Each structure stands twice: as C-alpha cells, then as structure tokens.
Amino acid sequence: MGNRRSGPPAPLSVPALAGRTVLVAGLFPAKVRDHAAVMAALTAELEGRGAVVAGSFVQRRGVSAGGVRAMGLPYSATTVLGSGKLRELAAARAATAASAVIFAGELTYRQRSRLTDALGCPVLGRADLPATATPE
C-alpha cells in the first residue's frame, strides 16, 4: 500500500527563537479577509519571544475560479505552497540566513519534513510553538 510510516512520527524539535532570524508564512483561502491580521499577530508573538522576523509570505487560495473549488486545500499536499511561492520563500531564507520558518497554520509531520528539506532550516506550524517562551 505504499511507503506509509507506521507508528507516531519522531518527536518535534523546536529551535530556540530568541535572537534568531525567522520568516513567517501562511496559506489563506480567499474567504479569509483578515489574513494580514493573522500574520501580524504571529509576527508580534514571535517578536515577543525574542525572534527577529525578516519577512512575511502569504499564499492566497481561491482567487480564481479553479481556486475557489479547491479553496480549503493546500497547493501541494507536501509543501502547502505553490512552487513559485516556495522558490520565493527559499530565496528569502537564503538571503536572510533565517534560522526557521514559522507557518500561521498547522502543518502535518510530512509537510514540516518536506518544507524543512526544501528550505534548509526547521519549519514549524504555529501550533508547534511552545505555549510560553522560555528565557535563553
């Protein structure tokens, strides 16, 4: 039946954010009108934890007729984003030497793994962040 992994995924290693440069990213359906507020809140949360946010990347879904039908789905099951936005994010990661990329939404283990490989740094969903910041 394919190469499905049995058992739970390996424990998630969350990098310390204080003093680190990070990028924020998010996939939002066209029906979500307040995506800028969601991204601003994530940026503020990360800065409150001591991170330096070097950039923000938003992928919109559902703007075209074809996109409306698939509005709730990621562009790619493994990387969430479209290939162009992924290249843009990878270029920014390289240019800023960001230590991590934090997504506004939740990511599956497979998505985190593929994005980490594609971007060359840890990739986390907002839900993966610890509930409270720990001093460094």
Side-chain angles (χ1 to χ4, degrees):
M1 275 254 179
N3 290 332
R4 292 190 184 237
R5 236 179 135 162
S6 62
L12 180 63
S13 174
V14 178
L17 297 175
R20 303 279 178 104
T21 300
V22 300
L23 298 170
V24 295
L27 169 69
F28 297 95
K31 289 183 179 180
V32 175
R33 302 268 186 236
D34 64 343
H35 71 278
V38 171
M39 295 296 282
L42 177 57
T43 297
E45 178 183 345
L46 293 169
E47 289 173 342
R49 293 171 182 252
V52 176
V53 178
S56 179
F57 297 83
V58 173
Q59 176 85 63
R60 300 286 288 169
R61 185 74 192 234
V63 178
S64 68
V68 170
R69 286 190 299 277
M71 194 177 312
L73 303 173
Y75 275 90
S76 164
T78 57
T79 62
V80 181
L81 306 171
S83 60
K85 189 60 71 175
L86 185 58
R87 282 191 302 272
E88 184 182 337
L89 187 55
R93 211 265 337 139
T96 63
S99 299
V101 175
I102 314 296
F103 272 75
E106 291 186 33
L107 298 173
T108 66
Y109 170 78
R110 183 176 182 193
Q111 289 166 338
R112 283 194 312 265
S113 178
R114 294 286 175 96
L115 286 163
T116 294
D117 290 345
L119 298 173
C121 69
V123 176
L124 305 168
R126 185 177 206 164
D128 300 322
L129 298 173
T132 58
T134 54
E136 297 293 311

